[in-house]
Amino acid sequence: MDNTYLKELANVDIQSIQRNSLVDIKDVKVDTSLERAERLFDFLTQIKNPYCFVCDGVIVKIRFADTEDTLEEKLNEYFLSL
């Protein structure tokens, strides 16, 4: 998968996508015996679109902010603000 293709996947409109064209994240099995690069390739092959998939019957679309902050930092910030 090159950057152009990944950008296309990230720009999928979830309002128009067919649910049956998406992979259910529960069906993806990660082989932890593989090297990191092989695991990533295997995951991408199974999930087909890492930005849009199904989880518990719900279409999920994820995106990433252009920031240096880690997910852990953002989650800590969020929960401390509650």
Side-chain angles (χ1 to χ4, degrees), residues 41-81:
F41 180 77
D42 185 48
F43 172 78
L44 291 173
T45 302
Q46 290 181 64
I47 199 72
K48 297 181 182 155
N49 184 343
Y51 300 100
C52 195
F53 49 86
V54 174
C55 181
D56 285 333
V58 176
I59 295 176
V60 176
K61 181 168 182 182
I62 62 170
R63 61 187 183 140
F64 300 93
D66 187 16
T67 178
E68 298 281 325
D69 297 338
T70 67
L71 177 59
E72 183 177 1
E73 290 168 341
K74 287 297 188 185
L75 287 172
N76 281 335
E77 181 181 310
Y78 171 74
F79 287 115
L80 289 173
S81 72

Side-chain angles (χ1 to χ4, degrees), residues 1 9 14 56:
M1 290 187 186
L9 293 176
I14 65 168
D56 285 333

Side-chain angles (χ1 to χ4, degrees), residues 6-66:
L6 286 172
K7 285 180 183 176
E8 288 175 22
L9 293 176
N11 290 327
V12 166
D13 178 12
I14 65 168
Q15 299 296 325
S16 62
I17 198 158
Q18 296 292 320
R19 179 187 307 271
N20 61 356
S21 71
L22 300 174
V23 174
D24 191 320
I25 193 80
K26 288 194 250 178
D27 296 332
V28 175
K29 306 295 182 224
V30 177
D31 183 351
T32 57
S33 69
L34 298 174
E35 295 292 325
R36 183 179 186 272
E38 293 171 313
R39 281 194 315 266
L40 179 58
F41 180 77
D42 185 48
F43 172 78
L44 291 173
T45 302
Q46 290 181 64
I47 199 72
K48 297 181 182 155
N49 184 343
Y51 300 100
C52 195
F53 49 86
V54 174
C55 181
D56 285 333
V58 176
I59 295 176
V60 176
K61 181 168 182 182
I62 62 170
R63 61 187 183 140
F64 300 93
D66 187 16

